Amino acid sequence: MRAARLEGRGWLNTGGKRLDLDSLKGKVVVLDFWTFCCINCLHVLDELRPLEAKYGDALVIIGVHSPKFEHERDPQALAAAVERYGVEHPVLDDPDLKTWDAYAARAWPTLVVLDPEGYAVSTMAGEGHVEALDRIIGDLVAVHTAKGTLDPEGSPYVAAPPAETALRFPGKAIELPGGDVLVTDSARHRLVRLGPDLTTVKGVIGTGTRGRADGAAPEFNEPQGLVLLPADVAAKAGYDLVVADTVNHLLRGVRLATGETVTVAGTGAQWRMDNGTDAALEVDLSSPWDLAWFEGKVIVAMAGIHQLWYFDPAAGTAGVYAGTTVESLKDGPLDQVWMAQPSGLAADGDRLWIADAETSALRYVEDGEMHTVVGQGLFDFGHLDGPAADALMQHPLGVAVLPDGRVAVADTYNGALRAYDPATGAVSTLASGLAEPSDVLALGARVAVVESAAHRLAVPDLAEAAVAGEHHRVTRKRTKVAPGRLRLDVLFAPAPGQKLDYTFGSPVQVTVSADPPQLLAEGAGRTEDLSRELVLADGIERGVLQVVAQAATCDAEAEHPACHLTRQDWGVPVEIARDGVPTLKLVLRS
């Protein structure tokens, strides 16, 4: 069908020019509907980079920024995110979701392919579609080259001028023995050692080039969390510090004295499924975002798959510590909990505190269970103090325990430093007007904040107050389903040239759960079929069906066939209605 108009507030990375469909004629165009809070969207940005390099000016990626959180509607915040994540293609600012609605997008991220004549030829939701995109783009380039309708020269992308600051979008920081502070200079792919004044640069680890080289001149890729190992563990391991090398999907070990770096966990491939090993260098990771030493191990906030993992430097092992990969908010035993992009960790004795970003929640682990003290779910957020059960945050990324026992939270999208007092159960605001604080440090009597969008570490003036802000709720269109029995069909067909891979048993797997869990009377759990019958419980009018599906395929004719895993998860808001559909169909795209 004909592509819809590109409407929005303005454009970035075009040198001030407004683009339209006529100006894109002759190009293969991929519209990437994204929002900068979303880890899956950040994964897609990295998946698109090799396609941009491969097809050059014949391909134009257009990022259509479609915000979820209120803060993401701020044009300055969007401009900062475009620089922070190294977006090197035009971006349409669509705060009112006009283009989002015109293309019937329903999930972050969504990708739409337009051919050089201005027709929409493919749509896919979620991440992991790079092979399908490559095939579609390659076919379009070949067809339109033959027709004479492809223009392979010239690009609408105009790079912004480089900025001059000592740090660029710092992520996380830790205090070193002696009082210096080490910070991940994330947008410059390095670690920077600052003096106690938090401004004097005393050393740099890393070349500043995006990469994954080990050794005396290491490379990183948007590093985030840091944790110092206990002295005895460091002596045996041969390194002092572990770094969450986020976009490389790796953990790196660093000797502070020399800067020498070694990869200690991860293969560099993004996690798609459990590969049956706990050997740290053989497991795949997914956007590790923060680290903490807890219960004798490094605990990893695995933001990309909504879990906590552990890494044992002594044993050289790594694996799941908490979570199921379902993106939502549910407490309980660690193997059953749901999280949503955990991004900040702080250990305090027998408790591990967690900033769970996408649920705008403050949570903790104790005695093998997870508990939530602030947070109401994926789509409720705001800036509201008072009793913790009623308090609201907006996409917090950092957490620290203060000397008086309060828990400080970098409430990132509210631009605030918040405090939760376990003794009173109350939440207050300690400082506001901060530029996307991403971490908190307790430095003796001082409380320092990594003020990421201001490119600095700061010690704000603390003036505790109670804020009564707005409660924001993101609403999504609900699917009306009939009461009682509901058939679930996940539709999947292998990509051309591939076949289902039965090497390790059934190649397909579907896991179904619900929020609230009581919504499903029957049908929850994991099966090896793409279709099943669910039974919706009486007395519950609405909820969310969580469906995770995956399918294993391999090349059909190749001498050395490559294996592929297609995986997608859906949170489908449903409303029980007499006129609802009896069958729910979801498409798993290869």
Side-chain angles (χ1 to χ4, degrees):
M1 62 180 181
R2 276 284 177 191
R5 292 173 57 193
L6 303 177
E7 296 184 82
R9 178 167 54 189
W11 288 85
L12 294 86
N13 284 351
T14 64
K17 181 179 178 181
R18 299 184 73 91
L19 303 183
D20 56 28
L21 292 175
D22 285 340
S23 67
L24 296 170
K25 284 286 182 67
K27 306 292 187 184
V28 177
V29 177
V30 175
L31 303 179
D32 173 20
F33 292 87
W34 70 300
T35 187
F36 64 78
C37 72
C38 164
I39 192 67
N40 311 89
C41 299
L42 302 186
H43 291 164
V44 167
L45 288 177
D46 291 298
E47 291 175 351
L48 293 174
R49 295 185 204 279
L51 296 179
E52 291 177 289
K54 178 176 179 178
Y55 292 102
D57 291 350
L59 171 66
V60 176
I61 308 292
I62 301 289
V64 182
H65 187 261
S66 313
K68 169 189 171 183
F69 286 102
E70 193 67 21
H71 175 70
E72 293 173 300
R73 300 178 186 276
D74 182 340
Q76 292 182 330
L78 173 57
V82 167
E83 181 189 349
R84 179 197 300 268
Y85 297 118
V87 180
E88 296 183 348
H89 51 247
V91 174
L92 172 62
D93 180 9
D94 183 24
D96 298 319
L97 305 185
K98 291 181 180 178
T99 300
W100 165 279
D101 287 338
Y103 283 87
R106 293 289 179 267
W108 294 283
T110 292
L111 298 165
V112 179
V113 182
L114 311 183
D115 74 10
E117 294 180 294
Y119 288 90
V121 298
S122 183
T123 301
M124 51 195 76
E127 58 179 288
H129 300 300
V130 64
E131 292 174 344
L133 281 172
D134 191 9
R135 185 174 64 250
I136 293 168
I137 295 166
D139 289 346
L140 289 173
V141 167
V143 167
H144 288 274
T145 296
K147 290 177 64 176
T149 49
L150 184 77
D151 177 9
E153 303 296 333
S155 170
Y157 168 66
V158 178
E164 297 296 333
T165 54
L167 302 173
R168 206 70 193 160
F169 298 105
K172 303 289 185 180
I174 57 171
E175 185 178 18
L176 299 176
D180 287 348
V181 169
L182 191 68
V183 57
T184 49
D185 193 15
S186 299
R188 291 197 176 129
H189 318 295
R190 61 183 188 166
L191 317 180
V192 176
R193 185 169 186 151
L194 302 176
D197 63 359
L198 306 181
T199 56
T200 302
V201 176
K202 299 180 69 174
V204 172
I205 298 173
T207 64
T209 300
R210 190 189 292 267
R212 54 170 293 183
D214 284 333
E219 297 169 339
F220 301 93
N221 196 346
E222 298 181 27
Q224 286 287 337
L226 304 161
V227 67
L228 281 171
L229 298 179
D232 58 333
V233 177
K236 292 178 181 177
Y239 50 87
D240 310 294
L241 174 84
V242 179
V243 181
D245 194 6
T246 304
V247 176
N248 276 331
H249 309 297
L250 297 173
L251 301 184
R252 317 287 292 282
V254 177
R255 284 181 179 268
L256 283 172
T258 64
E260 189 169 355
T261 298
V262 61
T263 298
V264 297
T267 64
Q270 186 183 337
W271 185 95
R272 296 294 182 196
M273 65 180 298
D274 181 8
N275 62 3
T277 181
D278 65 356
L281 290 170
E282 297 177 15
V283 297
D284 299 332
L285 310 181
S286 184
S287 296
W289 207 275
D290 203 9
L291 307 169
W293 184 260
F294 183 67
E295 295 180 346
K297 300 180 183 67
V298 175
I299 302 300
V300 184
M302 202 70 74
I305 47 176
H306 319 297
Q307 291 181 313
L308 302 182
W309 278 42
Y310 74 87
F311 164 59
D312 187 335
T317 56
V320 177
Y321 177 78
T324 64
T325 77
V326 172
E327 183 182 14
S328 193
L329 181 71
K330 185 175 79 169
D331 291 334
L334 294 182
D335 63 347
Q336 299 174 27
V337 299
W338 296 347
M339 288 173 279
Q341 216 167 301
S343 301
L345 300 174
D348 180 33
D350 294 331
R351 282 189 177 181
L352 176 70
W353 291 94
I354 305 151
D356 199 29
E358 278 294 288
T359 55
S360 298
L362 174 64
R363 310 173 75 178
Y364 70 89
V365 169
E366 186 175 35
D367 295 330
E369 295 199 347
M370 187 173 292
H371 309 268
T372 298
V373 294
V374 178
Q376 299 178 19
L378 280 167
F379 302 105
D380 291 87
F381 57 90
H383 191 165
L384 182 62
D385 288 324
D390 301 322
L392 293 169
M393 298 180 180
Q394 187 179 181
H395 199 78
L397 292 179
V399 62
V401 180
L402 303 181
D404 63 7
R406 290 181 301 167
V407 181
V409 180
D411 191 3
T412 308
Y413 287 1
N414 280 327
L417 179 63
R418 310 285 293 282
Y420 165 70
D421 189 341
T424 64
V427 175
S428 59
T429 296
L430 300 180
S432 57
L434 303 173
E436 293 192 11
S438 58
D439 204 10
V440 191
L441 277 177
L443 302 174
R446 297 186 300 166
V447 178
V449 173
V450 179
E451 206 173 354
S452 187
H455 318 294
R456 66 181 184 179
L457 273 66
V459 179
D461 293 329
L462 304 185
E464 190 164 2
V467 172
E470 292 184 80
H471 182 164
H472 298 281
R473 175 174 286 123
V474 176
T475 57
R476 295 186 297 165
K477 184 177 179 180
R478 293 185 178 272
T479 299
K480 287 187 177 183
V481 295
R485 297 190 178 278
L486 174 69
R487 182 175 178 81
L488 172 66
D489 288 333
V490 177
L491 308 178
F492 175 78
Q498 295 179 19
K499 62 181 180 180
L500 289 171
D501 182 5
Y502 290 85
T503 304
F504 300 102
S506 175
V508 298
Q509 188 178 99
V510 177
T511 303
V512 179
S513 54
D515 183 14
Q518 297 82 3
L519 176 65
L520 282 177
E522 296 179 24
R526 179 180 298 174
T527 62
E528 295 181 345
D529 298 295
L530 290 174
S531 298
R532 77 172 78 173
E533 192 172 77
L534 311 177
V535 178
L536 303 175
D538 294 333
I540 298 180
E541 297 179 352
R542 57 182 56 190
V544 177
L545 288 175
Q546 303 279 355
V547 182
V548 181
Q550 63 185 44
T553 59
C554 63
D555 295 340
E557 304 298 337
E559 181 179 355
H560 302 288
C563 297
H564 314 273
L565 183 75
T566 302
R567 178 184 169 90
Q568 179 67 42
D569 60 87
W570 299 267
V572 184
V574 297
E575 178 181 343
I576 316 303
R578 292 291 175 188
D579 60 346
V581 298
T583 301
L584 181 63
K585 295 181 183 291
L586 303 173
V587 180
L588 178 62
R589 296 189 182 276
S590 60

